Amino acid sequence: MSSAAASPSRFRPVLFATFATMVAGFVDAVGYAHLGGLFLSFMSGNSTRLGIQIAGGEWHLVLLTTGVIAGFVLGAVVGTLVADAAGEWKLVAVLGTEVALFAFAVGLTGADVGRLSLLPVAVAMGMQNSVHQIIAGADIGKSFVTGALFSCGQALARSLGGRARPSEVLAYAGSWASFVAGACIGALLLTAAGLIPAMAGACLLLAGLTATAFLFHGHLGPAIARQGGD
């Protein structure tokens, strides 16, 4: 009985982190389409584009890309400060702040301020790294998709040698697949409904995560091992 009871609570943090990763894929697809090839959570890709833009002297794009990267770093700072100040309610506090930033971005989009409307989302995505640290005790999640694939390969090698369970491989593969699924959903919704409904949808998804974090407070602790970074 104890094994059966432990199973849901053991996998609950993993499922939560997977859904958070899916939301990030959703947001990245929307940002990529609206920002002309920039991402809102994938800073490795943005850093590559920044180097190419500097080499090509595309200074107007350099400013935009630098702004997105700076927003992400600011989000990491804010997320850490909020988490440190909120104590045991850090997960709810960080997610709630993200919801507010998304709502602000939706308002800016409605006011037709152009590409700047998505900068608060970059801040929110920087904060979401704190979410994954809280629930997994490691640097995992949507900004570490490359690390998830690398760790999947490592786990597969260990499983072939009998040193890892197949479930470990599936966990890493699932993290990557959830990001891809989120990106697919985001692209479809953006195409079908436009930017404001897509952003509002992401805001509602984050609000759902916040409510889940509140309801399961104390049951979303570290559950999976450290992964490599992006």
Side-chain angles (χ1 to χ4, degrees):
M1 176 179 171
S2 63
S3 174
S7 182
S9 99
R10 178 181 162 208
F11 289 105
R12 192 179 294 136
V14 178
L15 292 173
F16 190 93
T18 298
F19 190 74
T21 302
M22 184 180 294
V23 171
F26 181 108
V27 169
D28 251 358
V30 172
Y32 185 87
H34 188 65
L35 294 176
L38 291 180
F39 301 95
L40 289 168
S41 73
F42 184 57
M43 293 303 118
S44 292
N46 287 348
S47 298
T48 300
R49 292 189 69 85
L50 178 62
I52 294 172
Q53 291 161 0
I54 292 173
E58 301 172 291
W59 302 115
H60 63 295
L61 294 177
V62 167
L63 288 175
L64 176 62
T65 305
T66 301
V68 172
I69 294 172
F72 185 88
V73 174
L74 175 61
V77 173
V78 173
T80 301
L81 292 175
V82 169
D84 289 345
E88 63 178 14
W89 289 96
K90 60 180 68 176
L91 184 57
V92 176
V94 171
L95 285 169
T97 306
E98 284 188 54
V99 172
L101 285 167
F102 266 79
F104 182 47
V106 172
L108 290 177
T109 303
D112 197 21
V113 300
R115 292 176 171 180
L116 294 178
S117 64
L118 292 186
L119 288 182
V121 179
V123 178
M125 290 295 96
M127 292 186 67
Q128 202 172 16
N129 281 279
S130 298
V131 170
H132 286 81
Q133 286 182 323
I134 292 166
I135 60 181
D139 293 333
I140 65 166
K142 76 277 180 272
S143 292
F144 298 87
V145 175
T146 301
L149 288 173
F150 177 76
S151 295
C152 181
Q154 281 190 320
L156 181 58
R158 287 194 297 266
S159 70
L160 291 175
R163 293 178 290 119
R165 292 178 304 226
S167 60
E168 184 180 348
V169 179
L170 292 175
Y172 290 120
S175 179
W176 169 81
S178 66
F179 188 92
V180 174
C184 179
I185 294 169
L188 289 172
L189 182 58
L190 181 66
T191 301
L195 181 60
I196 293 179
M199 291 300 300
C203 186
L204 289 174
L205 288 173
L206 271 176
L209 277 178
T210 306
T212 302
F214 180 81
L215 291 173
F216 290 96
H217 173 63
H219 298 281
L220 294 171
I224 47 184
R226 179 175 294 272
Q227 289 178 215
D230 193 14

